[in-house]
Amino acid sequence: MEELRASDPSWIGGHRLLGRLGAGGMGAVYLGRAADGALAAVKVILPEHAGDADFRVRFRREAEAARRVDSPWAVRVTGSGTEDERPWLATEFVPGPALAEAVARCGPLPAPSVQVLGRLLARALASVHAAGLVHRDVKPGNVLLGADGPRLIDFGVARVTDATALTATDLVVGTPGFLAPEQATGGAVGPAGDVFSLGCLLAYAATGRPPFGSGAVDALLYRTVHEPPDLGGVSDPELSALLGTMLDKDPAARPTAAALDRLIAVDAPNGSIDWLPGDVVRLIADRAATILALPGIDATRAGEPGAPAPARRRLLLLAGAGAVAVAGGGAFAVREWLRDDDAAGSGAGGSEARTWTVGVQADLSGPRAADGRAQERGVRLAVDRFNSRTDKPFGLRVKVLDDRGETAAAVRAAERFARDHDVLAVIGPTDDPATTAVLGTYDEAMLPLVTVSSQQISFAVRSMRSFFQAVPSDVALAYPIRNRLVLRPDVRRLGVLVDRAGGQSAYLTGYFLNRLVVDSTDGTTYPRVVPAGTRDLAPVVADLLAHHSDAFFHAGDPAGAARAARTLAATSYKGPRMAMHSAMGARFLKHAGDAAENWEFVSPCVGATAPAVKQFAAAHRRKYGSAPAPWAAEAYDAAGLVLAALTALARKNRPPARADLVAKIAASSYHGISRDYAFGEGNRLKGQAAHLHGVRGGAFRYLGPLATSKS
């Protein structure tokens, strides 16, 4: 939760506003306290929309829809002012985490917990449908876990069954990855669509991932319509069968919400939340306990319209960040001892007041430990170089936290950095799941987060103001891959082999490359997708060549790329061949053997032999005794980008505010050793700068930068 801004009202509809819960393009949601002391979530519409007659009609419809739902498992409307100068809607405040946050922090739920959750939410949807409504946006972010059970929230896009859309934007409503096939194709959405969405939500709760993956919207919609859900992580046969029925492509084959209540035998014992795992219960209890720190109803101070007293602002911020929990009459700070190389002297005054801290959050002991260590070394070298300057305006230290590549540990690391006011920016995390899990924490603290290796095309969070994706996404790399493989006179058809063992990034890269070639060139493609674990690729490769593929791209893991290389080498094929950059490494060379020769890779990482990194590589060898590994130079650049922004903002002994540093980085352009850095919409890296590597003489060689043009 954020503190109130000077432009925010202090009272709305008899509610004293205590802080901001969120904001969007249409308005803001505040935490308010009514005269009787009850807390409420108060949605207030922006003035520019309040004068729009059509918008008022839609907002009035939302309020009316929410009032018609009568269920203990759906959030209750406590008041509204749809005809007021600034329209508002108040609902009961549930002081608990969203399901999305609980799964990100604590991991997937066990099967019995998922079944209880499904039964209670089915009852909520049954009430929605009994009121003649369709929710249309059932997703983990719209389910709050309270101390007395879950609540379905947000009826902003609910519609009366068979009602006519008011605007063109209503044609496809919902959240990709959690909507029904009929929604994905813009068709009529009925109660069965909500059941499908609930199935997606429960699959997410059981596995920690949406059943149709994540990433580019068009890819998500395609998989929702045409492919079966991925329920591989659901080991309980009863739950798997239930989800399979709910996720049937045919709306008529799905059970109704009321029928689900009867189908699921497990129920909440005595109305408690003991059916949830202990760490989730503790998270709910801690979140609820922070409400004790909220201010009461006092008159607004003169000169501070709408703002709490200064002492109370801190209580609000602490409660919103979850940094303080009140239990047993005392307060305690939650601390996670991960790895802190430079904890001594943190926050010291005097001569140390000019020493500021840059954080590194990385996987240093998990599946991507090599990448995490490379990034840590890159940041340390950048800080060493900065500290060696005789004219430096301040000193720097590095603080490193190891999240092990685990989402729960990643959240704890992010919370620790967010609470440490000496930390002005963080480089990391190493991979997509950890990054997705921590974005809300960093955004709430407005702590700049710069990642150089999280390449997901999009992240399923509402706000990413402080997040900078300083690396081309896997999908963005499809442009230079297309340029290298297809924009040449000897290639007319690109064979694309997508190996599911490569996960979501492999699928998205192959899918987007296929579309890109067809949509933007006069060439054609022949795509094939093989299930994870496919070992005999000979029939697939033979099929690709039989369809006159004169260029070859493999999207998958290193083992699959090596199998493809050996299989292709056994044929008469002599054309260009390429695999995803994630397949680069000793494993590919070892398993492919002589067949690895002449394979190429388009990578976001510059090579250690590139002329631009000569001095950096020499410094790396002096300090660490080896050439820099992939991602080290990119982390060095990310730290340099942050240090340049810090230097520009340096004033006397005061470190810049985190929010000012966010704004400065967003507006910066920086010439690094691996690429030029500037950020566009959503703080994503502008351009699609990439680097070409190839196997020559049995070893990987850096072949140079690739053109950044999309055309």
Side-chain angles (χ1 to χ4, degrees), residues 370 373-374 377 381 608 613-630 632:
R373 285 194 299 270
R377 290 177 172 183
L381 285 169
V613 305
K614 182 178 180 180
Q615 292 182 350
F616 168 74
H620 193 283
R621 288 188 181 92
R622 285 194 299 271
K623 182 163 185 173
Y624 298 110
S626 64

PDB file of all heavy atoms in Angstrom, residues 370 373-374 377 381 608 613-630 632:
ATOM      1  N   ALA A 370      25.467 -20.668 -12.499  1.00  0.00           N
ATOM      2  CA  ALA A 370      26.567 -20.154 -13.318  1.00  0.00           C
ATOM      3  C   ALA A 370      26.226 -18.775 -13.858  1.00  0.00           C
ATOM      4  O   ALA A 370      27.079 -17.864 -13.862  1.00  0.00           O
ATOM      5  CB  ALA A 370      26.867 -21.121 -14.462  1.00  0.00           C
ATOM      6  N   ARG A 373      26.298 -16.251 -10.868  1.00  0.00           N
ATOM      7  CA  ARG A 373      27.662 -15.887 -10.473  1.00  0.00           C
ATOM      8  C   ARG A 373      28.296 -14.946 -11.491  1.00  0.00           C
ATOM      9  O   ARG A 373      29.020 -14.001 -11.128  1.00  0.00           O
ATOM     10  CB  ARG A 373      28.516 -17.143 -10.310  1.00  0.00           C
ATOM     11  CG  ARG A 373      28.229 -17.928  -9.040  1.00  0.00           C
ATOM     12  CD  ARG A 373      29.309 -18.952  -8.774  1.00  0.00           C
ATOM     13  NE  ARG A 373      29.408 -19.942  -9.847  1.00  0.00           N
ATOM     14  CZ  ARG A 373      28.732 -21.074  -9.876  1.00  0.00           C
ATOM     15  NH1 ARG A 373      27.887 -21.365  -8.891  1.00  0.00           N
ATOM     16  NH2 ARG A 373      28.889 -21.931 -10.864  1.00  0.00           N
ATOM     17  N   ALA A 374      28.026 -15.191 -12.773  1.00  0.00           N
ATOM     18  CA  ALA A 374      28.571 -14.305 -13.804  1.00  0.00           C
ATOM     19  C   ALA A 374      28.042 -12.885 -13.625  1.00  0.00           C
ATOM     20  O   ALA A 374      28.791 -11.907 -13.758  1.00  0.00           O
ATOM     21  CB  ALA A 374      28.215 -14.842 -15.195  1.00  0.00           C
ATOM     22  N   ARG A 377      29.682 -11.162 -10.614  1.00  0.00           N
ATOM     23  CA  ARG A 377      31.046 -10.729 -10.933  1.00  0.00           C
ATOM     24  C   ARG A 377      31.034  -9.479 -11.807  1.00  0.00           C
ATOM     25  O   ARG A 377      31.850  -8.568 -11.615  1.00  0.00           O
ATOM     26  CB  ARG A 377      31.799 -11.863 -11.628  1.00  0.00           C
ATOM     27  CG  ARG A 377      32.114 -13.030 -10.701  1.00  0.00           C
ATOM     28  CD  ARG A 377      32.802 -14.171 -11.434  1.00  0.00           C
ATOM     29  NE  ARG A 377      33.258 -15.202 -10.503  1.00  0.00           N
ATOM     30  CZ  ARG A 377      33.949 -16.276 -10.879  1.00  0.00           C
ATOM     31  NH1 ARG A 377      34.265 -16.460 -12.160  1.00  0.00           N
ATOM     32  NH2 ARG A 377      34.335 -17.164  -9.971  1.00  0.00           N
ATOM     33  N   LEU A 381      32.766  -5.905 -10.707  1.00  0.00           N
ATOM     34  CA  LEU A 381      33.795  -5.245 -11.508  1.00  0.00           C
ATOM     35  C   LEU A 381      33.398  -3.813 -11.836  1.00  0.00           C
ATOM     36  O   LEU A 381      34.251  -2.910 -11.854  1.00  0.00           O
ATOM     37  CB  LEU A 381      34.059  -6.046 -12.784  1.00  0.00           C
ATOM     38  CG  LEU A 381      34.869  -7.332 -12.594  1.00  0.00           C
ATOM     39  CD1 LEU A 381      34.849  -8.172 -13.866  1.00  0.00           C
ATOM     40  CD2 LEU A 381      36.304  -7.009 -12.203  1.00  0.00           C
ATOM     41  N   ALA A 608      33.172 -13.019 -25.196  1.00  0.00           N
ATOM     42  CA  ALA A 608      34.315 -12.552 -24.402  1.00  0.00           C
ATOM     43  C   ALA A 608      35.454 -12.051 -25.269  1.00  0.00           C
ATOM     44  O   ALA A 608      36.345 -11.351 -24.782  1.00  0.00           O
ATOM     45  CB  ALA A 608      34.803 -13.684 -23.497  1.00  0.00           C
ATOM     46  N   VAL A 613      34.691  -5.534 -25.443  1.00  0.00           N
ATOM     47  CA  VAL A 613      34.804  -6.018 -24.059  1.00  0.00           C
ATOM     48  C   VAL A 613      36.244  -6.362 -23.695  1.00  0.00           C
ATOM     49  O   VAL A 613      36.486  -7.000 -22.666  1.00  0.00           O
ATOM     50  CB  VAL A 613      33.879  -7.240 -23.814  1.00  0.00           C
ATOM     51  CG1 VAL A 613      32.447  -6.927 -24.169  1.00  0.00           C
ATOM     52  CG2 VAL A 613      34.361  -8.452 -24.589  1.00  0.00           C
ATOM     53  N   LYS A 614      37.201  -5.940 -24.496  1.00  0.00           N
ATOM     54  CA  LYS A 614      38.598  -6.321 -24.271  1.00  0.00           C
ATOM     55  C   LYS A 614      39.084  -5.923 -22.886  1.00  0.00           C
ATOM     56  O   LYS A 614      39.651  -6.734 -22.143  1.00  0.00           O
ATOM     57  CB  LYS A 614      39.488  -5.700 -25.357  1.00  0.00           C
ATOM     58  CG  LYS A 614      40.950  -6.083 -25.248  1.00  0.00           C
ATOM     59  CD  LYS A 614      41.757  -5.475 -26.385  1.00  0.00           C
ATOM     60  CE  LYS A 614      43.231  -5.860 -26.275  1.00  0.00           C
ATOM     61  NZ  LYS A 614      44.033  -5.267 -27.392  1.00  0.00           N
ATOM     62  N   GLN A 615      38.873  -4.661 -22.486  1.00  0.00           N
ATOM     63  CA  GLN A 615      39.348  -4.203 -21.181  1.00  0.00           C
ATOM     64  C   GLN A 615      38.587  -4.892 -20.049  1.00  0.00           C
ATOM     65  O   GLN A 615      39.176  -5.262 -19.024  1.00  0.00           O
ATOM     66  CB  GLN A 615      39.209  -2.684 -21.073  1.00  0.00           C
ATOM     67  CG  GLN A 615      40.146  -1.924 -21.998  1.00  0.00           C
ATOM     68  CD  GLN A 615      40.020  -0.419 -21.819  1.00  0.00           C
ATOM     69  OE1 GLN A 615      39.120   0.076 -21.139  1.00  0.00           O
ATOM     70  NE2 GLN A 615      40.921   0.320 -22.446  1.00  0.00           N
ATOM     71  N   PHE A 616      37.273  -5.055 -20.226  1.00  0.00           N
ATOM     72  CA  PHE A 616      36.478  -5.745 -19.207  1.00  0.00           C
ATOM     73  C   PHE A 616      36.956  -7.183 -19.043  1.00  0.00           C
ATOM     74  O   PHE A 616      37.108  -7.680 -17.910  1.00  0.00           O
ATOM     75  CB  PHE A 616      34.996  -5.713 -19.599  1.00  0.00           C
ATOM     76  CG  PHE A 616      34.131  -6.632 -18.782  1.00  0.00           C
ATOM     77  CD1 PHE A 616      33.810  -6.327 -17.477  1.00  0.00           C
ATOM     78  CD2 PHE A 616      33.643  -7.820 -19.320  1.00  0.00           C
ATOM     79  CE1 PHE A 616      33.016  -7.175 -16.716  1.00  0.00           C
ATOM     80  CE2 PHE A 616      32.852  -8.670 -18.571  1.00  0.00           C
ATOM     81  CZ  PHE A 616      32.538  -8.355 -17.261  1.00  0.00           C
ATOM     82  N   ALA A 617      37.186  -7.879 -20.152  1.00  0.00           N
ATOM     83  CA  ALA A 617      37.639  -9.268 -20.091  1.00  0.00           C
ATOM     84  C   ALA A 617      38.986  -9.369 -19.379  1.00  0.00           C
ATOM     85  O   ALA A 617      39.224 -10.300 -18.595  1.00  0.00           O
ATOM     86  CB  ALA A 617      37.715  -9.861 -21.494  1.00  0.00           C
ATOM     87  N   ALA A 618      39.877  -8.406 -19.635  1.00  0.00           N
ATOM     88  CA  ALA A 618      41.181  -8.419 -18.967  1.00  0.00           C
ATOM     89  C   ALA A 618      41.022  -8.220 -17.465  1.00  0.00           C
ATOM     90  O   ALA A 618      41.681  -8.900 -16.655  1.00  0.00           O
ATOM     91  CB  ALA A 618      42.077  -7.333 -19.568  1.00  0.00           C
ATOM     92  N   ALA A 619      40.161  -7.289 -17.063  1.00  0.00           N
ATOM     93  CA  ALA A 619      39.913  -7.062 -15.640  1.00  0.00           C
ATOM     94  C   ALA A 619      39.297  -8.301 -14.988  1.00  0.00           C
ATOM     95  O   ALA A 619      39.616  -8.642 -13.841  1.00  0.00           O
ATOM     96  CB  ALA A 619      39.004  -5.849 -15.463  1.00  0.00           C
ATOM     97  N   HIS A 620      38.412  -8.974 -15.717  1.00  0.00           N
ATOM     98  CA  HIS A 620      37.781 -10.188 -15.197  1.00  0.00           C
ATOM     99  C   HIS A 620      38.837 -11.274 -14.979  1.00  0.00           C
ATOM    100  O   HIS A 620      38.821 -11.971 -13.958  1.00  0.00           O
ATOM    101  CB  HIS A 620      36.707 -10.663 -16.176  1.00  0.00           C
ATOM    102  CG  HIS A 620      35.780 -11.711 -15.617  1.00  0.00           C
ATOM    103  ND1 HIS A 620      36.150 -13.032 -15.485  1.00  0.00           N
ATOM    104  CD2 HIS A 620      34.498 -11.636 -15.156  1.00  0.00           C
ATOM    105  CE1 HIS A 620      35.137 -13.719 -14.979  1.00  0.00           C
ATOM    106  NE2 HIS A 620      34.124 -12.891 -14.760  1.00  0.00           N
ATOM    107  N   ARG A 621      39.745 -11.424 -15.917  1.00  0.00           N
ATOM    108  CA  ARG A 621      40.795 -12.439 -15.765  1.00  0.00           C
ATOM    109  C   ARG A 621      41.703 -12.119 -14.584  1.00  0.00           C
ATOM    110  O   ARG A 621      42.118 -13.017 -13.845  1.00  0.00           O
ATOM    111  CB  ARG A 621      41.615 -12.539 -17.058  1.00  0.00           C
ATOM    112  CG  ARG A 621      40.878 -13.203 -18.221  1.00  0.00           C
ATOM    113  CD  ARG A 621      41.810 -13.442 -19.396  1.00  0.00           C
ATOM    114  NE  ARG A 621      41.102 -14.047 -20.515  1.00  0.00           N
ATOM    115  CZ  ARG A 621      40.531 -13.348 -21.502  1.00  0.00           C
ATOM    116  NH1 ARG A 621      40.613 -12.011 -21.493  1.00  0.00           N
ATOM    117  NH2 ARG A 621      39.905 -13.968 -22.474  1.00  0.00           N
ATOM    118  N   ARG A 622      42.019 -10.841 -14.407  1.00  0.00           N
ATOM    119  CA  ARG A 622      42.885 -10.471 -13.291  1.00  0.00           C
ATOM    120  C   ARG A 622      42.232 -10.781 -11.950  1.00  0.00           C
ATOM    121  O   ARG A 622      42.891 -11.240 -11.013  1.00  0.00           O
ATOM    122  CB  ARG A 622      43.231  -8.969 -13.363  1.00  0.00           C
ATOM    123  CG  ARG A 622      44.249  -8.610 -14.435  1.00  0.00           C
ATOM    124  CD  ARG A 622      44.783  -7.208 -14.234  1.00  0.00           C
ATOM    125  NE  ARG A 622      43.742  -6.183 -14.301  1.00  0.00           N
ATOM    126  CZ  ARG A 622      43.359  -5.581 -15.417  1.00  0.00           C
ATOM    127  NH1 ARG A 622      43.937  -5.892 -16.580  1.00  0.00           N
ATOM    128  NH2 ARG A 622      42.412  -4.656 -15.390  1.00  0.00           N
ATOM    129  N   LYS A 623      40.941 -10.523 -11.844  1.00  0.00           N
ATOM    130  CA  LYS A 623      40.274 -10.687 -10.544  1.00  0.00           C
ATOM    131  C   LYS A 623      39.809 -12.118 -10.313  1.00  0.00           C
ATOM    132  O   LYS A 623      39.889 -12.628  -9.184  1.00  0.00           O
ATOM    133  CB  LYS A 623      39.082  -9.736 -10.432  1.00  0.00           C
ATOM    134  CG  LYS A 623      38.373  -9.817  -9.080  1.00  0.00           C
ATOM    135  CD  LYS A 623      37.482  -8.625  -8.818  1.00  0.00           C
ATOM    136  CE  LYS A 623      36.889  -8.685  -7.415  1.00  0.00           C
ATOM    137  NZ  LYS A 623      36.146  -7.466  -7.066  1.00  0.00           N
ATOM    138  N   TYR A 624      39.334 -12.794 -11.373  1.00  0.00           N
ATOM    139  CA  TYR A 624      38.719 -14.104 -11.188  1.00  0.00           C
ATOM    140  C   TYR A 624      39.477 -15.243 -11.857  1.00  0.00           C
ATOM    141  O   TYR A 624      39.087 -16.410 -11.729  1.00  0.00           O
ATOM    142  CB  TYR A 624      37.267 -14.067 -11.688  1.00  0.00           C
ATOM    143  CG  TYR A 624      36.411 -13.085 -10.918  1.00  0.00           C
ATOM    144  CD1 TYR A 624      35.953 -11.910 -11.517  1.00  0.00           C
ATOM    145  CD2 TYR A 624      36.066 -13.323  -9.593  1.00  0.00           C
ATOM    146  CE1 TYR A 624      35.172 -11.005 -10.812  1.00  0.00           C
ATOM    147  CE2 TYR A 624      35.282 -12.426  -8.879  1.00  0.00           C
ATOM    148  CZ  TYR A 624      34.843 -11.263  -9.494  1.00  0.00           C
ATOM    149  OH  TYR A 624      34.080 -10.375  -8.793  1.00  0.00           O
ATOM    150  N   GLY A 625      40.505 -14.927 -12.617  1.00  0.00           N
ATOM    151  CA  GLY A 625      41.333 -15.979 -13.203  1.00  0.00           C
ATOM    152  C   GLY A 625      40.728 -16.683 -14.386  1.00  0.00           C
ATOM    153  O   GLY A 625      41.177 -17.773 -14.759  1.00  0.00           O
ATOM    154  N   SER A 626      39.704 -16.103 -15.009  1.00  0.00           N
ATOM    155  CA  SER A 626      39.068 -16.733 -16.159  1.00  0.00           C
ATOM    156  C   SER A 626      38.415 -15.670 -17.025  1.00  0.00           C
ATOM    157  O   SER A 626      38.205 -14.527 -16.593  1.00  0.00           O
ATOM    158  CB  SER A 626      38.009 -17.748 -15.708  1.00  0.00           C
ATOM    159  OG  SER A 626      36.954 -17.089 -15.014  1.00  0.00           O
ATOM    160  N   ALA A 627      38.098 -16.076 -18.250  1.00  0.00           N
ATOM    161  CA  ALA A 627      37.365 -15.181 -19.139  1.00  0.00           C
ATOM    162  C   ALA A 627      35.943 -14.999 -18.610  1.00  0.00           C
ATOM    163  O   ALA A 627      35.404 -15.886 -17.936  1.00  0.00           O
ATOM    164  CB  ALA A 627      37.334 -15.750 -20.551  1.00  0.00           C
ATOM    165  N   PRO A 628      35.307 -13.870 -18.882  1.00  0.00           N
ATOM    166  CA  PRO A 628      33.934 -13.665 -18.409  1.00  0.00           C
ATOM    167  C   PRO A 628      32.964 -14.635 -19.060  1.00  0.00           C
ATOM    168  O   PRO A 628      33.041 -14.895 -20.268  1.00  0.00           O
ATOM    169  CB  PRO A 628      33.629 -12.214 -18.797  1.00  0.00           C
ATOM    170  CG  PRO A 628      34.599 -11.889 -19.885  1.00  0.00           C
ATOM    171  CD  PRO A 628      35.826 -12.691 -19.613  1.00  0.00           C
ATOM    172  N   ALA A 629      32.063 -15.183 -18.262  1.00  0.00           N
ATOM    173  CA  ALA A 629      31.023 -16.081 -18.763  1.00  0.00           C
ATOM    174  C   ALA A 629      29.868 -15.266 -19.324  1.00  0.00           C
ATOM    175  O   ALA A 629      29.779 -14.052 -19.099  1.00  0.00           O
ATOM    176  CB  ALA A 629      30.547 -16.987 -17.624  1.00  0.00           C
ATOM    177  N   PRO A 630      28.955 -15.899 -20.075  1.00  0.00           N
ATOM    178  CA  PRO A 630      27.770 -15.182 -20.555  1.00  0.00           C
ATOM    179  C   PRO A 630      27.032 -14.497 -19.416  1.00  0.00           C
ATOM    180  O   PRO A 630      26.931 -15.039 -18.310  1.00  0.00           O
ATOM    181  CB  PRO A 630      26.924 -16.299 -21.183  1.00  0.00           C
ATOM    182  CG  PRO A 630      27.927 -17.325 -21.621  1.00  0.00           C
ATOM    183  CD  PRO A 630      29.004 -17.290 -20.575  1.00  0.00           C
ATOM    184  N   ALA A 632      27.965 -11.816 -17.832  1.00  0.00           N
ATOM    185  CA  ALA A 632      28.813 -10.980 -16.992  1.00  0.00           C
ATOM    186  C   ALA A 632      28.915  -9.569 -17.561  1.00  0.00           C
ATOM    187  O   ALA A 632      28.785  -8.577 -16.824  1.00  0.00           O
ATOM    188  CB  ALA A 632      30.202 -11.603 -16.847  1.00  0.00           C
TER     189      ALA A 632
END
